[in-house]
Amino acid sequence: MKRNTKMSILSFAFAAACLMGCNQPIETEPETVYSNPEIVYPDTSIFRPFQEIQKVGKKFQTIEQLVVGSQPYTPKAIPLHGVPLNLGFLKKVKGNPLNPKVKYLAVGSSLTAGVRDGGYFNEGMLTSYPNIIARQLGIADLKMPLFDPQDYNGTGRKIPTDFNPSGGPFQKFNISSNNLGIQGFEQSMEDVYDQTTGSTVKKPVERPLLKKYRGHMEDLDVVAFPGLIMELFEFNTSKPSKLFEARVASRGGKAPFSALMEKDADIFTIELGSQGFVPNVPEIGGGPNGYEHPMTKFIKKQLAAGAKGCISNIPDYSKFPVYHQVTFAEMKKATFNTPIQFPFEDLTNICFVPNGKLDSLMSPKVNIALKNLYLEAFSDVFSGNIRSNSINTTNGAFFDYILKDIDIPIVDLYNLYEKILAGNYTTHDGNLVDPSYPKGNFFSNDGLYPTPFGNAVIANEFIRTLNKHYKLAIPLVPTSAYLNQ
């Protein structure tokens, strides 16, 4: 699917960007802004929180992005559930009755890293499923690449707002404007698609630079970065995650994957990647004949050392309600049945990527003559059926490829999400999981990644898988502790 890459790059430099060394939140006046349509939501580009903001003249009556302003944000205290009082079950996990303390290592991408609410920040890391699992293992100090305390908002986060200048149907957001972990910007020439010429050209792209983590890759118990693709992690060429990997140095300048391979654990969990969650990101793929996938290498090394671990499959993101806030019939009605060209023939499961162009098409305030300017927005529509087939292939043939001759259980996130999306999943402690968006309790503000409660639900699926396969007795997480966070 081609993406409009006429992307104006960040001049949305809030006053906070110059003051982020302060320990107290920076009180800035909320600013109503109208932005260029190309903070493609949701996508790895949401981690470029300061995009070029261009005010659109009122005469156009359109809002071209779902971020409509900024506001300071201070998180409340982060209450985590208590460590189990009786840790006797850990003796079996460790296999050493004299020293039951275990080492836990979590490897993965955005989900494991703690991405939620459209950003990467301390609160998300602390309420991520790895940290929740760690507490069940008696670990209260899991090492994660947290931002410094005064930079707790990290890359920023989306905060729902009722301000809706377009009148369009998609949820609108402010973005947190204070205490960010961004120290500046860098510019590089990158390949981008030019709609005017229909070809890929080199253009300058400006990206934020994040403040460094005060530790080393070798110290981390959570080796996970937003947008990480493990094949590219091995070769140190993963562009989406480079922004985040660059925060964490390795001792002696070794490659990040080499640092990962040096780590050992008693329990390890792997989330292969959240590429399946988002459009416009390459699918996970195999390598040439004889190529051993980096996760295959990692798993073999850990199992040979006596570790117990599991790996998760991928949910079908195309069923997530964030992509179904409007229907095809509603879109046709809003555009007065204007003929629309789709980039695919299968129209039985159309998914609408929330963005300003589609919002303008649906808005009752936008003149029909102006809507013709936005009919290209249907390049941001994708076929759920096509993507579902791709996810099924990944969960089938690809897992067979990387797990050949390896005895490791698969955490079935695919079917967990299917049950949750069907609305018939209740936790072991009696909480109904509500998948609705944006008012439910499972999906965070970005509609892709889970809330703290959702992370607790996912943590329990990992624990159940470990317990069943290795005959362990790790207690389940009390999900009620996270229900109202």
Side-chain angles (χ1 to χ4, degrees):
M1 179 170 57
K2 293 181 179 179
R3 178 162 48 136
N4 177 7
T5 54
K6 287 188 176 179
M7 186 180 296
S8 296
I9 312 300
L10 208 66
S11 67
F12 187 32
F14 305 113
C18 301
L19 300 170
M20 31 180 148
C22 300
N23 288 313
Q24 296 299 319
I26 298 158
E27 299 297 332
T28 58
E29 284 295 319
E31 179 187 3
T32 300
V33 294
Y34 300 83
S35 71
N36 190 279
E38 268 305 5
I39 312 176
V40 177
Y41 168 92
D43 184 298
T44 50
S45 63
I46 62 176
F47 303 116
R48 304 169 197 159
F50 299 114
Q51 299 288 339
E52 178 80 32
I53 299 301
Q54 295 180 339
K55 292 185 177 180
V56 176
K58 291 183 179 179
K59 63 180 181 179
F60 293 111
Q61 296 182 300
T62 62
I63 176 173
E64 295 195 72
Q65 232 296 315
L66 300 181
V67 173
V68 296
S70 64
Q71 71 180 72
Y73 181 87
T74 305
K76 298 175 290 187
I78 303 169
L80 300 170
H81 74 284
V83 171
L85 297 177
N86 184 352
L87 298 176
F89 66 91
L90 293 179
K91 294 178 182 179
K92 191 172 182 180
V93 173
K94 177 78 173 180
N96 182 353
L98 299 178
N99 181 18
K101 186 175 181 179
V102 301
K103 295 180 182 178
Y104 170 49
L105 177 60
V107 179
S109 187
S110 303
L111 178 63
T112 303
V115 172
R116 67 176 169 94
D117 296 337
Y120 181 52
F121 45 85
N122 286 357
E123 187 182 355
M125 288 187 240
L126 290 170
T127 55
S128 63
Y129 80 83
N131 201 35
I132 292 173
I133 291 174
R135 297 185 74 80
Q136 291 304 91
L137 297 173
I139 304 169
D141 58 348
L142 194 71
K143 298 296 187 298
M144 299 171 283
L146 295 170
F147 292 89
D148 285 348
Q150 70 271 20
D151 304 323
Y152 54 79
N153 274 330
T155 66
R157 61 193 296 164
K158 286 185 174 179
I159 306 161
T161 177
D162 292 330
F163 177 58
N164 186 6
S166 72
F170 294 108
Q171 175 67 51
K172 308 304 186 299
F173 300 93
N174 289 330
I175 192 167
S176 58
S177 58
N178 61 289
N179 297 80
L180 300 168
I182 299 174
Q183 66 177 4
F185 305 91
E186 64 178 353
Q187 190 173 90
S188 62
M189 298 298 293
E190 297 188 12
D191 291 330
V192 296
Y193 178 76
D194 189 326
Q195 270 200 330
T196 304
T197 62
S199 61
T200 299
V201 296
K202 293 280 187 183
K203 289 190 176 181
V205 174
E206 190 173 24
R207 302 184 189 280
L209 291 172
L210 302 183
K211 292 185 178 181
K212 299 294 185 182
Y213 169 65
R214 299 180 189 275
H216 295 89
M217 185 78 70
E218 292 86 347
D219 302 327
L220 295 178
D221 299 319
V222 178
V223 182
F225 303 99
L228 181 64
I229 300 173
M230 291 311 302
E231 296 98 314
L232 301 183
F233 186 59
E234 180 181 19
F235 301 110
N236 200 24
T237 58
S238 183
K239 282 187 179 180
S241 65
K242 272 290 192 179
L243 171 65
F244 307 96
E245 292 170 35
R247 292 186 60 230
V248 186
S250 296
R251 290 189 178 91
K254 67 173 66 72
F257 186 73
S258 297
L260 172 63
M261 288 296 289
E262 291 180 6
K263 298 185 70 64
D264 60 352
D266 301 304
I267 290 284
F268 67 92
T269 58
I270 301 171
E271 172 242 343
L272 191 60
S274 54
Q275 293 90 340
F277 283 142
V278 293
N280 307 322
V281 177
E283 294 297 319
I284 303 169
N289 291 336
Y291 170 78
E292 188 172 45
H293 192 275
M295 279 296 91
T296 305
K297 299 176 186 177
F298 174 77
I299 293 168
K300 285 181 177 179
K301 188 259 185 183
Q302 295 297 332
L303 294 180
K308 301 174 175 67
C310 56
I311 183 170
S312 68
N313 61 16
I314 301 170
D316 185 350
Y317 80 92
S318 69
K319 297 179 181 178
F320 289 9
V322 69
Y323 296 121
H324 300 278
Q325 295 181 63
V326 299
T327 66
F328 179 60
E330 290 170 335
M331 185 63 72
K332 290 288 290 182
K333 182 179 179 181
T335 56
F336 295 87
N337 294 311
T338 301
I340 298 169
Q341 294 294 323
F342 286 91
F344 43 79
E345 296 180 1
D346 186 354
L347 305 181
T348 57
N349 183 13
I350 299 175
C351 299
F352 294 91
V353 179
N355 60 39
K357 291 179 290 186
L358 290 176
D359 194 73
S360 295
L361 279 171
M362 293 292 292
S363 172
K365 296 181 180 180
V366 178
N367 185 287
I368 184 61
L370 292 173
K371 289 186 179 188
N372 290 333
L373 300 174
Y374 293 93
L375 288 179
E376 68 175 21
F378 284 98
S379 64
D380 297 313
V381 173
F382 62 93
S383 167
N385 292 318
I386 292 174
R387 298 295 264 178
S388 293
N389 291 337
S390 179
I391 295 299
N392 289 332
T393 299
T394 298
N395 286 340
F398 183 68
F399 267 72
D400 291 343
Y401 160 68
I402 66 170
L403 301 180
K404 184 179 181 181
D405 302 324
I406 295 178
D407 181 23
I408 186 172
I410 294 177
V411 181
D412 194 0
L413 292 189
Y414 178 88
N415 277 308
L416 173 67
Y417 273 70
E418 291 293 297
K419 293 174 185 176
I420 290 171
L421 291 168
N424 59 7
Y425 189 87
T426 301
T427 66
H428 74 286
D429 49 347
N431 295 309
L432 179 65
V433 181
D434 180 0
S436 62
Y437 179 80
K439 302 297 184 181
N441 60 24
F442 183 76
F443 290 105
S444 70
N445 292 338
D446 57 33
L448 289 175
Y449 298 101
T451 60
F453 172 71
N455 271 284
V457 172
I458 290 170
N460 279 338
E461 198 67 17
F462 276 85
I463 290 172
R464 287 190 182 96
T465 303
L466 289 166
N467 284 344
K468 182 178 180 180
H469 189 82
Y470 297 103
K471 305 298 187 292
L472 303 177
I474 306 169
L476 295 179
V477 175
T479 65
S480 297
Y482 298 92
L483 191 56
N484 296 314
Q485 290 190 36

